[in-house]
Amino acid sequence: MTAVDPVAAGEPGSEHGSGLGRVRGRVLRKLWQNPMGVVGGVLLLIVLIAGVFAPWLAPYPPTQVHFTTPFQQPFTVGFALGTDDLGRDVLSRVLYGTRASLEVGVLSVLLAVAVGVPLGLLAGYWRWLDAVVSRLADVMLAFPFLILAVGLAAINGGGIGNAAIALGIANIPTMVRVVRAETLRLKESDFVLAAHTMDAGATRILAHHILPNALSAIIVQATVIMPSAVLGEAILSFLGLGIQPPDPSLGIMLSDAQQYLFRTVWPGVFPGVAIAVICLGFNLFGDALRDALDPKAQRVRKGKR
């Protein structure tokens, strides 16, 4: 009986060693060849450096007030981006606000993945569970994302942890639907059918065959959730339901700045730019990563154009 090479048989999850290295190399080449992906990667690198190294990059503590120097213009000596109504350094607050936005985004993505991925796998693999999980997801999706997040934040109260939980729960239904769709597609693949013929259990099939091959879709969806969580955190903080003063937040900075728009716009411009850069970086990089991981989808979009 002739042995069958699992890689040649077409099982995506069976690529090991040099095979995985070739896949990683292909993805990296695709990302490097995509100009928008490079731009998104550079923006994300800047954002990550600003957030991670905020304690070392910020010239002042974010809550330190300078009552003698309120509303300083950008590029003033000692205050690169000026000061707000209390004389707090805008640059320091933007750096720490970016850090807080990334923390909320990462925590909400982890929650959405931790809950949404198992539910999506179960719903896609067992039809009887699909009816329950999909209906619950549909009920949550019936409420707009921000309305659901605001409602959950209002119930749980303010704070960075509660904001992350509210945004993570609001993003669970989309993760469930993405993983469910991948599971439905993959469970009809030849390598899964072959595992069935070898009496492999459902747990082994889900863990060793379906989940590894659904990782690309999960990663791409995570890059979609991240900017929506960052924007959601800014909105919650703007409404007073997210991070609470005096802790810095980009949303709080926008809320404070709106009171003094007729006097100066700079305290509101820079946090707004920071939010735009974060969201743009993740969106551009996420699109490029999707094209690199799924060349077929890229060809379909090009054909539609």
Side-chain angles (χ1 to χ4, degrees), residues 264-302:
T264 180
V265 299
W266 299 112
V269 167
F270 293 114
V273 170
I275 294 173
V277 169
I278 295 173
C279 294
L280 181 63
F282 275 106
N283 284 328
L284 292 179
F285 188 78
D287 287 343
L289 185 61
R290 178 185 57 198
D291 291 342
L293 292 172
D294 189 4
K296 294 180 180 179
Q298 183 183 24
R299 288 195 293 269
V300 170
R301 285 195 297 277
K302 287 183 177 179

Side-chain angles (χ1 to χ4, degrees), residues 37-178:
V38 173
V39 172
V42 171
L43 292 178
L44 287 184
L45 181 61
I46 294 172
V47 168
L48 289 174
I49 291 174
V52 173
F53 297 102
W56 296 273
L57 296 175
Y60 304 97
T63 57
Q64 182 177 342
V65 298
H66 305 85
F67 290 114
T68 58
T69 54
F71 297 117
Q72 294 295 304
Q73 295 297 309
F75 308 112
T76 302
V77 176
F79 303 103
L81 299 183
T83 60
D84 62 7
D85 58 306
L86 297 178
R88 294 172 296 190
D89 182 55
V90 172
L91 174 58
S92 300
R93 291 181 64 77
V94 167
L95 291 173
Y96 275 90
T98 300
R99 182 186 182 93
S101 295
L102 293 177
E103 288 177 355
V104 171
V106 170
L107 290 175
S108 61
V109 167
L110 291 177
L111 177 59
V113 170
V115 178
V117 169
L119 289 178
L121 289 172
L122 296 176
Y125 195 78
W126 282 292
R127 296 293 297 273
W128 64 274
L129 274 177
D130 186 16
V132 178
V133 174
S134 295
R135 296 298 78 76
L136 289 175
D138 290 341
V139 169
M140 295 181 69
L141 287 171
F143 297 92
F145 165 75
L146 288 176
I147 299 298
L148 182 59
V150 168
L152 292 171
I155 294 172
N156 295 328
I160 189 170
N162 288 336
I165 292 173
L167 294 167
I169 292 175
N171 277 301
I172 286 175
T174 56
M175 181 63 74
V176 169
R177 299 191 83 174
V178 168

Side-chain angles (χ1 to χ4, degrees), residues 220-295:
V220 171
Q221 184 61 26
T223 64
V224 174
I225 292 176
M226 188 72 178
S228 68
V230 169
L231 187 60
E233 182 277 320
I235 293 174
L236 292 178
S237 298
F238 184 89
L239 297 175
L241 299 173
I243 299 173
Q244 299 298 303
D247 293 334
S249 166
L250 299 176
I252 292 176
M253 294 180 68
L254 290 174
S255 179
D256 293 340
Q258 70 172 342
Q259 306 174 50
Y260 308 100
L261 284 178
F262 293 104
R263 181 164 184 177
T264 180
V265 299
W266 299 112
V269 167
F270 293 114
V273 170
I275 294 173
V277 169
I278 295 173
C279 294
L280 181 63
F282 275 106
N283 284 328
L284 292 179
F285 188 78
D287 287 343
L289 185 61
R290 178 185 57 198
D291 291 342
L293 292 172
D294 189 4

Side-chain angles (χ1 to χ4, degrees), residues 170-237:
N171 277 301
I172 286 175
T174 56
M175 181 63 74
V176 169
R177 299 191 83 174
V178 168
V179 178
R180 171 184 173 275
E182 284 296 297
T183 304
L184 288 172
R185 180 180 66 86
L186 290 169
K187 77 175 186 178
E188 302 298 332
S189 301
D190 292 339
F191 59 89
V192 173
L193 297 177
H196 277 296
T197 62
M198 299 175 66
D199 294 329
T203 302
R204 180 176 179 82
I205 291 175
L206 288 172
H208 295 278
H209 297 280
I210 293 179
L211 179 58
N213 290 293
L215 281 179
S216 59
I218 295 171
I219 293 172
V220 171
Q221 184 61 26
T223 64
V224 174
I225 292 176
M226 188 72 178
S228 68
V230 169
L231 187 60
E233 182 277 320
I235 293 174
L236 292 178
S237 298

